[in-house]
DNA sequence: TAAATCTGTCATTTACATAAAACAGGTTTT
DNA sequence: AAAACCTGTTTTATGTAAATGACAGATTTA
């Protein structure tokens, strides 16, 4: 399932909306694989647009290998292409997995500087106002495709334990352990955003494409902020996943994340 | 903070995308409250659009009370209207929290039907082809604002333990426990999408707004699929969060989700 | 006070998605 | 074989978002 609309469709036009709707309905099985879609005229009427618009949406779906157009007959829904390339990170054990990922992925350092922490970040890290942090922006690639855009803020005194070269080759987290920083706790938030121009450019998606957004604050044993991460992921290449298990009995029965086990 | 674009902006046009991007960046603190936005010409260059387009986006932001335009000077970022209503769900213990939420939120049933399970869903739930499932689409509201759009699929024999009225008032998960189904494990995936017209309508956001997407498969003790949930959340009203703690020593040192404790 | 920078506004032009309608030529159905 | 239905293709028209450029007036900076 490619969420990202093909560039052939006018960005944000009716055709794209029809495309998104149909794409969704196919994913959700409203139109099952192997069955025929309604005719173009029928769809045009249903969506309240002209046949040409429907046509463009169908062409885009065909280009995505989601349907096959049969001249004179109609469009048949194809079986979804298995995205072997999708990178999955276990949300519960995210960081160790990133270490592993570090070995099969590439990172590019886009920006690197020291300076006073922006307001929100300083608050999150419990820093004094104007205290200096290292700000680094990196993009991670898998198979030559950029799948994540990472902005990290680290208090300067901690950041001085490693340099730019380290950042381009090793995950930030690994550098901490090596520096003897006693990492203790982390707080993560997940949300969604749209790609702004700079990020869109770095991640090779169009402006306004949906991105998975993860924010993480890591603290040391004293509760001091060590790292502030703001990560943006391409949903077509990356997803967070997690297994839960129902444990306990009676009133105490509740959910617990499964730690070691992937799907 | 309203992601919903004013009607004055062309649905899905460049101006709206700029509006959404800026709106997002303000929410994320890229432009902190009290500071000035870059000038219109600068923004035009940054987004690669004309100044008029920027202007329309800024007007929309001003109409939303997110910025204040000062003639001759620039636009100042306003303090966000405190929506104290942001709903946070702990990702690790999601379901129990949903139970609690059920008491302070309203649900509306948009669609309800029985029929053969769509292909992908049937596979996910390990169902025989064409086996009947109950499909329900619900929207949840908090303070009169819709924050989530839920599509659930449940095998018919299990679903028959409750009816439409139950669905509108109680979280699905609660209904299972009551029906004596032995819930065992769950698998969750998180990603991001754009709002398609139908969802946009239900969630009162504009088409193309970013949404957090969560997919969950719940199984019973025999590994049989019980529920397939496809949820879409408004990122401005809802977020997933999680606390992690670093435990163990030496090579065995790793992250573990903190269970009971919220922020 | 002068210069620089910004917003407010207008007029003109360009670009392009969408609509509407008609026809040719496949495919399926009866 | 004919009828019904479908896609493929083209032409013309239209509405409108967006770009361009220019200028006035407000505000800040030097």
């Amino acid at each position: 399932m490619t969420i990202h609309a093909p560039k052939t469709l006018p960005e944000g036009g009716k055709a794209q909306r029809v495309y998104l709707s149909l794409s969704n309905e196919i994913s959700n099985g409203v139109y099952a694989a192997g069955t025929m879609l309604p005719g173009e005229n029928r769809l045009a009427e249903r969506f309240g647009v002209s046949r040409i618009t429907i046509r463009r949406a169908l062409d885009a779906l065909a280009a995505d290998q989601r349907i096959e157009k049969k001249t004179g007959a109609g469009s048949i829904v194809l079986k979804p292409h298995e995205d072997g390339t999708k990178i999955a990170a276990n949300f519960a054990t995210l960081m160790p997995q990133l270490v592993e990922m570090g070995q099969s992925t590439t990172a590019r350092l886009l920006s690197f500087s020291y300076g006073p922490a922006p307001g929100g970040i300083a608050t999150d890290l419990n820093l004094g106002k104007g205290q200096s942090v290292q700000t680094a922006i990196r993009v991670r690639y898998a198979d030559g495709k950029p799948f994540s855009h990472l902005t990290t803020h680290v208090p300067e005194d901690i950041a001085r334990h490693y340099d730019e070269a380290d950042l381009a080759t090793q995950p930030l987290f690994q550098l901490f352990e090596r520096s003897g920083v006693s990492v203790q706790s982390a707080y993560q938030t997940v949300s969604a955003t749209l790609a702004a121009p700079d990020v869109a450019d770095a991640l090779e998606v169009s402006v306004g494409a949906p991105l998975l957004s993860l924010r993480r604050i890591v603290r040391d044993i004293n509760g001091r902020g060590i790292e502030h991460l703001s990560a943006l992921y391409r949903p077509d290449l990356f997803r967070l996943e997690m297994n839960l298990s129902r444990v306990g009995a009676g009133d105490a029965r509740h959910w617990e994340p499964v730690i070691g086990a992937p799907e």
Side-chain angles (χ1 to χ4, degrees), chain A:
Chain A
M1 165 193 353
T2 310
I3 283 184
H4 193 60
K7 297 193 181 47
T8 59
L9 282 186
E11 196 97 15
K14 291 196 191 178
Q16 187 167 57
R17 267 176 264 160
V18 172
Y19 165 84
L20 278 174
S21 278
L22 286 176
S23 176
N24 240 311
E25 293 185 335
I26 291 176
S27 300
N28 293 346
V30 177
Y31 300 117
T35 64
M36 295 300 250
L37 281 185
E40 296 179 354
N41 284 308
R42 210 156 306 207
L43 287 173
E45 193 184 357
R46 186 187 146 205
F47 282 96
V49 299
S50 75
R51 202 184 131 212
I52 291 192
T53 304
I54 292 293
R55 186 147 252 281
R56 275 211 291 265
L58 292 182
D59 285 344
L61 286 171
D64 282 0
Q65 308 269 25
R66 314 234 11 216
I67 64 174
E68 190 181 333
K69 307 193 74 176
K70 303 252 190 192
T71 300
S75 294
I76 187 171
V77 180
L78 296 180
K79 231 179 283 189
H81 249 208
E82 265 328 319
D83 262 308
T85 50
K86 201 148 179 174
I87 305 163
N90 188 313
F91 194 37
T93 57
L94 184 60
M95 299 171 211
Q97 245 173 306
L98 276 177
V99 173
E100 279 175 46
M101 279 171 45
Q103 282 139 18
S104 59
T105 63
T106 328
R108 201 158 65 93
L109 188 60
L110 294 188
S111 148
F112 183 86
S113 64
Y114 287 91
I121 309 290
T123 309
D124 286 348
L125 292 180
N126 298 336
L127 296 181
K129 211 166 190 182
Q131 203 170 327
S132 179
V133 295
Q134 176 201 78
T135 304
I137 302 182
R138 287 172 299 158
V139 178
R140 297 199 80 84
Y141 298 81
D143 282 338
K145 283 185 187 169
F147 70 94
S148 77
H149 180 277
L150 313 167
T151 306
T152 54
H153 296 270
V154 179
E156 176 159 7
D157 56 312
I158 295 177
R160 290 295 184 192
H161 284 114
Y162 53 88
D163 63 13
E164 298 189 39
D166 291 330
L167 267 180
T169 53
Q170 296 175 58
L172 187 51
F173 184 69
Q174 212 169 53
L175 299 173
F176 286 146
E177 304 262 286
R178 208 189 60 186
S179 310
V181 175
S182 51
V183 177
Q184 170 68 14
S185 68
Y187 168 68
Q188 295 185 149
T189 295
V190 179
S191 189
T193 342
L194 296 179
D198 51 340
V199 177
D201 194 49
L203 290 182
E204 293 172 17
V205 297
S206 43
V207 175
L211 296 177
L212 183 63
S213 142
L214 183 145
R215 194 169 272 237
R216 184 163 71 214
I217 300 166
V218 181
R219 300 180 190 283
D220 70 6
I221 204 164
N222 303 314
R224 183 191 175 202
I226 293 177
E227 178 203 2
H228 185 286
L229 167 71
S230 182
L232 297 170
Y233 299 99
R234 280 177 58 167
D236 59 333
L237 295 179
F238 181 91
R239 66 170 192 271
L240 289 171
E241 57 182 22
M242 186 171 181
N243 281 91
L244 294 172
S245 175
R246 193 90 175 143
V247 299
D251 279 358
R253 194 158 168 79
H254 64 283
W255 287 99
E256 270 189 14
V258 178
I259 313 245
E263 159 96 337

